[in-house]
Amino acid sequence: PGRPAAGRLRRGGKAAANGFKRYYKGGIAGEVYGTIVVMGALAAGAHGGQIRSGELAGIVAGTAIVLWIAHVYAHSLAETISRGRRLDRAEVVSVARREIAMLLAAVPPVGALLLGALGILEDSTAGWLAMGFGLATLAVAGFQYATVERLGFLASALTIAINLALGLVIVGLKAGLGH
């Protein structure tokens, strides 16, 4: 009230950026890491092109779950050592929540693969759609980072391009492995 609309918008933009910072304090790392792990599992699991979507969904989901548990365990150990005492249940749950973005990164690709397993999509289409979800996630993470850092257009485009390039290397590996 009493402020010009532009001032309110600018302040709202700052608030949105601060909200991203709070939420993604550790989450964006998990989102990007989880996406790369998922895309790597897709590429490796699709080797030779003989695997079916349902099997690949199991490989991808299993890989994401195991690595998430490993991250929760490793971070819990690190916090135990840094605090000089064993973590209580609430603190371990807090670590698990902080690392959940890594696990959630697997949901869209696994969903695409399950569409293949149900016969709604061809196995190959489901695999490529799963990779597409990974690329989209990396692009969004780049955009989120650029927003939080208030990067200009060129720096934002470069950030998104770097994230996509990493994903495209994995897509190239998938294509090169014959699927």
Side-chain angles (χ1 to χ4, degrees), residues 42 51-63 109-114 117:
L42 283 165
I51 196 156
R52 301 190 52 98
S53 294
E55 295 170 47
L56 191 52
I59 290 169
V60 170
T63 299
V110 168
L113 293 169
L114 291 175

Side-chain angles (χ1 to χ4, degrees), residues 135 138-139 142-143 154-169:
L135 288 172
L138 292 175
F143 178 77
L154 290 177
S156 295
L158 180 62
T159 299
I160 294 167
I162 289 169
N163 271 12
L164 285 174
L166 179 60
L168 289 172
V169 166

Side-chain angles (χ1 to χ4, degrees), residues 110-127:
V110 168
L113 293 169
L114 291 175
L115 291 176
L118 293 171
I120 296 169
L121 297 174
E122 295 290 325
D123 286 337
S124 178
T125 302

Side-chain angles (χ1 to χ4, degrees), residues 94-156:
S94 175
V95 171
R97 284 187 181 137
R98 192 174 61 230
E99 297 298 319
I100 199 72
M102 182 186 341
L103 186 58
L104 293 176
V107 173
V110 168
L113 293 169
L114 291 175
L115 291 176
L118 293 171
I120 296 169
L121 297 174
E122 295 290 325
D123 286 337
S124 178
T125 302
W128 285 110
L129 180 60
M131 277 292 193
F133 277 128
L135 288 172
T137 300
L138 292 175
V140 167
F143 178 77
Q144 290 168 331
Y145 174 79
T147 299
V148 168
E149 293 300 320
R150 296 192 189 134
L151 300 179
F153 176 78
L154 290 177
S156 295

